[in-house]
Amino acid sequence: MAYEKITELFIGGERVGSSSGEIRNVLHPADGHLVAIFHEGSASDTVAAIDAARSAFDSGHWRSFSGEQRGKILEQVADILERDKARFAEAESADTAKRIIEANYDMDDIISVFRYFATRATLSHEREVTTGRENIRSTMVSEPVGVIAMITPWNYPLLQASWKIAPALAAGCTFVIKPSELTPSTTSMLMDVLSEAGVPAGVANLVLGSGAVAGGPLSTHPGVDMVSFTGSLATGKRLMVNAAETIKRVALELGGKNPNIIFADADLDAAIDNALTAVFLHSGQVCSAGARLLVERKIHNQVVTEIARRADQIRLGGSHDLDAETGALISAAHRDKVERYVADAISEGAVLRAGGKRPEGEKYANGFFYRPTVLDECTSEMSCVQDESFGPVVTVEVFDTEEEAIKLGNDTIFGLAGAVWTNDADKAQRVARQLRHGTIWINDYHPYVAQAEWGGFKQSGIGRELGEAGFAEYLEHKHIWQNQKPARSDWFKATEGHENV
Ligand code: NAD
């Protein structure tokens, strides 16, 4: 297919070409066909975008909109996304190789995120403080943080962007976003939606390109007030170090190694079925994937045998393959990484019960497919249990007691999510409350809502997205103290004839 359109950056309300003059091709991970072509941004383009966001913020125009006005615009964004849902789902599916049905589910979530923050924008965040002093008015007011640098990953491109953009706009911030260089399409398309909905020029800016080059100034430039990042632990650490130089706020959504704990008294049919969804949804490229299965010893054999049998039956395919149940990995480099992870796990003593290879057949020849993989007989000292593969791989460990399940579930540097399967409601609550992870599902896996905070304990991140706390990330809090009857303080008494030299 001949491509006439090369998508440009979006700075100060306009599409602009990159100063480097370079371009980047985006290829479909399931079959390698050309999906789109983008301008490749340079560091100076990013500085221009930061300058545009800075002027838009400092002019005070966007901040002067009332919460109701900003809320209306966000509602309008949701309405346009609803109208253009099919177009967006198609583009998301082509960039990420997720099936079109999954991309459509993502769009529903994205629309609900804009609607949730549209409502939140209208709520007052002022509060009068009781001081116990006469003639004093003490008020807490909330103001937008300022210019936000947003950096997003490739697994849920527009969803991750919406978790940042919707609350930041609701709060009155301006922003520069850099989507993953592998999946920029829908974030770029969103810029036009924001303009159509009435977001003023300069408030929303998009840079495109690699993390190292186009991303560079986002964590170092003094014009940025806050870095909101979703991605890997290694990149998050680097950004935090960079941000320290100018004391930028940081919000980090990083990786996870999420325990999925099955007790012997669980509904095993549901637990096993959901254990497959927990880890193999979107081919395991989910930060909250249940990639670490903990099974009570007496049901271990039954559970692993069934999970391995079912894993072997999972059908892989392209975005529009109606027979497929999941898709390809994002890139050749990522599949190489997953293959190395599995080989290392086996050399460490893990026992391969399913997968561990690429699928065979013409249909898979040009894509980055990898079979759902089950690694049994793992222990928490193994690197396969501690490290995130971010692919379709589950490790299995056994436990004997409730205490041991909790200990193992917490034996990780991460703390993003986890699940507990049991028919004992009290035990479920006990375990859920002792697991040090930001989300715990009981007898379920994966659901979330825009009203409930999402984020990680420990090295899974700093701060929260979604919910009230996800909005508060984009607010500064100011105390205004007003003395309604000014008087002398007389702290320093002017004494005639007493002068210091
Ligand atoms: P990554 O860290 O490689 O890249 C993420 C983004 O950071 C990309 O846009 C990349 O270009 C950019 N980047 C890289 N180096 C940069 C730099 N020096 N300066 C500025 N930007 C830079 O991560 P990834 O491979 O795209 O995503 C996978 C990771 O994301 C996994 O670890 C996964 O667990 C995590 N993730 C977490 C959540 C969550 O909610 N906690 C959600 C999705 C993904």
Side-chain angles (χ1 to χ4, degrees), residues 189-241:
M189 289 158 66
L190 183 70
M191 296 301 115
D192 301 318
V193 171
L194 296 179
S195 294
E196 185 184 340
V199 174
V203 170
N205 302 276
L206 168 87
V207 293
L208 299 164
S210 73
V213 178
L218 294 174
S219 60
T220 55
H221 194 283
V224 171
D225 297 299
M226 169 175 164
V227 180
S228 177
F229 170 73
T230 303
S232 65
L233 175 59
T235 307
K237 283 183 187 173
R238 191 168 321 131
L239 296 179
M240 203 170 163
V241 169

Side-chain angles (χ1 to χ4, degrees), residues 9 37 53 146 165 170 210 313 349 386 389 413 419 427 432 451 466 490:
L9 323 189
I37 310 175
I165 291 174
S210 73
Q313 292 176 344
Q386 295 299 333
S389 81
I413 59 166
K427 179 161 77 177
Q451 297 88 327
L466 305 178
D490 277 338

Side-chain angles (χ1 to χ4, degrees), residues 24-33 35 90-99 102 106 152-158 179-186 232 280-286 316-319 326-339 358 364 366-371 388-392:
R24 181 187 288 266
N25 293 338
V26 174
L27 307 178
H28 196 304
D31 58 21
H33 83 264
V35 167
E90 189 63 49
E92 192 80 315
S93 162
D95 276 11
T96 61
K98 65 179 64 176
R99 292 171 310 140
E102 290 179 43
D106 288 356
T152 48
W154 44 259
N155 59 338
Y156 286 86
L158 193 60
S180 166
E181 53 275 38
L182 301 174
T183 56
S185 298
T186 49
S232 65
F280 297 131
L281 178 81
H282 194 18
S283 300
Q285 302 168 117
V286 182
L316 309 181
S319 300
T326 190
L329 299 188
I330 190 70
S331 65
H334 186 50
R335 182 173 60 179
D336 289 349
K337 191 183 139 215
V338 173
E339 284 179 329
R358 301 177 184 191
Y364 307 112
N366 296 320
F368 311 121
F369 290 94
Y370 193 74
R371 288 289 325 158
E388 192 187 34
S389 81
F390 216 54

Side-chain angles (χ1 to χ4, degrees), residues 31 33 69 111 172 195 252 267 291 344 362 409 442 472:
D31 58 21
H33 83 264
Q69 286 171 309
I111 291 163
S195 294
L252 303 175
D267 175 337
D344 290 349
E362 188 58 27
I442 296 173

Side-chain angles (χ1 to χ4, degrees), residues 123-382:
L123 305 177
S124 167
H125 295 277
E126 282 200 20
R127 122 177 163 258
E128 295 299 325
V129 177
T130 311
T131 62
R133 306 205 192 171
E134 280 183 16
N135 303 313
I136 297 298
R137 182 176 174 203
S138 162
T139 315
M140 286 306 305
V141 298
S142 298
E143 297 179 4
V145 165
V147 174
I148 316 297
M150 303 174 179
I151 304 167
T152 48
W154 44 259
N155 59 338
Y156 286 86
L158 193 60
L159 186 71
Q160 300 299 342
S162 73
W163 288 14
K164 302 179 189 308
I165 291 174
L169 290 180
C173 294
T174 65
F175 71 86
V176 178
I177 189 163
K178 193 201 83 61
S180 166
E181 53 275 38
L182 301 174
T183 56
S185 298
T186 49
T187 309
S188 173
M189 289 158 66
L190 183 70
M191 296 301 115
D192 301 318
V193 171
L194 296 179
S195 294
E196 185 184 340
V199 174
V203 170
N205 302 276
L206 168 87
V207 293
L208 299 164
S210 73
V213 178
L218 294 174
S219 60
T220 55
H221 194 283
V224 171
D225 297 299
M226 169 175 164
V227 180
S228 177
F229 170 73
T230 303
S232 65
L233 175 59
T235 307
K237 283 183 187 173
R238 191 168 321 131
L239 296 179
M240 203 170 163
V241 169
N242 293 347
E245 191 60 37
T246 44
I247 312 291
K248 298 184 197 316
R249 282 188 180 204
V250 288
L252 303 175
E253 290 291 336
L254 308 175
K257 189 71 190 194
N258 313 291
N260 185 18
I261 303 173
I262 307 182
F263 285 95
D265 63 358
D267 175 337
L268 286 190
D269 187 41
I272 290 169
D273 185 66
N274 280 279
L276 291 153
T277 322
V279 65
F280 297 131
L281 178 81
H282 194 18
S283 300
Q285 302 168 117
V286 182
C287 51
S288 50
R292 187 180 178 192
L293 191 63
L294 300 173
V295 189
E296 193 165 341
R297 192 180 302 275
K298 54 186 148 184
I299 53 163
H300 163 252
N301 210 19
Q302 179 191 355
V303 170
V304 178
T305 303
E306 183 59 6
I307 286 180
R309 187 185 72 79
R310 294 271 311 269
D312 278 338
Q313 292 176 344
I314 292 175
R315 299 188 299 276
L316 309 181
S319 300
H320 289 280
D321 183 343
L322 294 180
D323 189 45
E325 296 173 307
T326 190
L329 299 188
I330 190 70
S331 65
H334 186 50
R335 182 173 60 179
D336 289 349
K337 191 183 139 215
V338 173
E339 284 179 329
R340 275 196 306 277
Y341 169 97
V342 172
D344 290 349
I346 292 168
S347 68
E348 272 184 305
V351 175
L352 186 67
R353 299 283 297 261
K357 60 183 179 200
R358 301 177 184 191
E360 284 163 15
E362 188 58 27
K363 152 174 170 182
Y364 307 112
N366 296 320
F368 311 121
F369 290 94
Y370 193 74
R371 288 289 325 158
T373 298
V374 180
L375 295 170
D376 196 9
E377 297 185 32
C378 300
T379 57
S380 60
E381 306 78 48
M382 292 178 173

